[in-house]
Amino acid sequence: MICLGIEGTAHTIGIGIVEKSGSKCNILANVSRMYKPEKGGIHPREAANHHVKHFPKILLESIEKADINIKDIDLIAFSIGPGLGPCLRTAATAARVLSLMLKKPIIGVNHCIAHLEIGRALTGCIDPVLLYVSGGNTQVIAFMEGKYRVFGETLDIGIGNCLDKFGREVGLPFPAGPEIEKIARKGKKYLSLPYSVKGMDVAFSGILTACLHLVKKEKLEDICYSLQETCFSMLAEVAERAMAHTEKDEILLGGGVACNKRLQEIIRIMATERKARFFCPPNEFLVDNGAMIAWTGLLMHESGMKMKLEETKVRQNYRTDEVEITWR
Ligand code: ATP
Ligand code: FE2
């Protein structure tokens, strides 16, 4: 069975074409375009316009890459939430059009769960704790008693947002995460920042403010280094607590910030120390992508889930633990 999945929760519009044969996940194509604001943060309507503009091109590109006929597609999946309203509605509209034109079923996928499912499919882990770290989201998710549950999350901004905002203030291009990673490698001096873990939750805005205060006094490389070390240690602490609590021995990374090699190293060390296994899919599947939506759509569809067109209304605040899990 072949599914075309559309991702459009925030700044990325992506199309993935994925084939499922048995339990095997075969990625036929995974194409995306990212909206980069010239200055300031993401403007939801501008991001949506960007998605409208690029959709036709990436649709053709993905079909070409997959080397299929558009009629070979059996299912249309799209990111139904959570995310920015105008972006979500753009992806949903495109999905509805394709579903009607091709006369194929449509299914709306929870974005956070898609990050987890693509990680499971590509790395071979079975029942992991997912540390999902992106621009807008920072969550520790695990499967328990029939649902994916959020064990911990950010109380204010996402970790990626913290990095991007800091980067913007010091003149780094968007997205700043990868730039900060490079600069941090040169840092040597650890500057004390307000490490903030509350139970299994984390908070980043105090650290962001503290870093901005340091800009005039300290070297940028030392600030970037300290920013990463502090935030990533916090994430390791809450991920470890969730593993202990759920008694799971696999940790999986997801979300754009998980591309960071230092974060990967810290989480890997934590896992090794507790004799657990560490998993991380390739970068292309860590960042927002259409393939994860297509794959999760296939899992949902094969387990018997169906959605009427009227049920495809987007859900901006769609929570991970609201999703009915029929495929596990
Ligand atoms: P979501 O909608 O799930 O919140 P998103 O829109 O933020 O996702 P992603 O592609 O998952 O999109 O993540 C983008 C974020 O990842 C940006 O904040 C970016 O700075 C960060 N990022 C990317 N590469 C790195 C890196 N090497 N180190 C740290 N952060 C990174
Ligand atoms: Fe994401």
Side-chain angles (χ1 to χ4, degrees), residues 72-287:
D72 299 334
I73 292 163
D74 304 297
L75 174 69
I76 305 294
F78 71 100
S79 53
I80 196 166
L84 306 171
C87 301
L88 290 171
R89 286 191 289 276
T90 302
T93 306
R96 289 183 202 116
V97 170
L98 285 175
S99 160
L100 287 170
M101 265 176 52
L102 301 171
K103 299 190 178 64
K104 298 294 173 186
I106 183 168
I107 202 145
V109 173
N110 177 290
H111 174 92
C112 309
I113 289 180
H115 274 290
L116 194 145
E117 289 301 349
I118 196 70
R120 283 213 306 147
L122 299 180
T123 65
C125 60
I126 296 160
D127 186 21
V129 167
L130 171 74
L131 176 60
Y132 170 33
V133 281
S134 66
N137 293 292
T138 302
Q139 296 185 334
V140 181
I141 302 172
F143 187 71
M144 197 166 243
E145 287 161 6
K147 282 204 166 160
Y148 280 120
R149 296 177 195 276
V150 178
F151 284 87
E153 64 191 315
T154 177
L155 298 172
D156 45 40
I157 53 176
I159 169 76
N161 207 291
C162 171
L163 298 172
D164 294 338
K165 276 192 175 151
F166 175 74
R168 193 159 78 218
E169 296 299 325
V170 299
L172 300 175
F174 178 87
E179 305 294 325
I180 292 174
E181 179 177 15
K182 273 185 233 149
I183 299 169
R185 275 192 218 121
K186 291 183 236 135
K188 286 187 188 72
K189 181 168 138 197
Y190 181 77
L191 309 163
S192 178
L193 294 171
Y195 185 98
S196 142
V197 170
K198 299 195 173 66
M200 284 209 241
D201 296 324
V202 286
F204 298 109
S205 59
I207 295 175
L208 173 61
T209 309
C211 284
L212 292 174
H213 281 309
L214 289 172
V215 170
K216 287 206 180 88
K217 288 179 266 178
E218 302 286 347
K219 284 193 195 144
L220 184 61
E221 57 230 50
D222 292 332
I223 305 175
C224 290
Y225 166 73
S226 309
L227 172 61
Q228 284 200 168
E229 294 304 302
T230 310
C231 294
F232 297 170
S233 307
M234 285 160 49
L235 293 169
E237 181 183 336
V238 291
E240 180 166 26
R241 194 163 294 136
M243 291 175 83
H245 181 73
T246 58
E247 297 179 353
K248 294 194 195 292
D249 58 4
E250 295 176 326
I251 177 92
L252 172 68
L253 292 185
V257 180
C259 298
N260 190 293
K261 291 282 176 276
R262 179 60 183 146
L263 175 65
Q264 293 179 9
E265 186 183 15
I266 289 177
I267 302 296
R268 183 182 281 118
I269 293 169
M270 179 274 282
T272 311
E273 281 182 357
R274 48 181 299 118
K275 299 191 174 53
R277 293 194 300 155
F278 168 84
F279 299 89
C280 185
N283 285 2
E284 175 190 349
F285 304 102
L286 284 172
V287 298

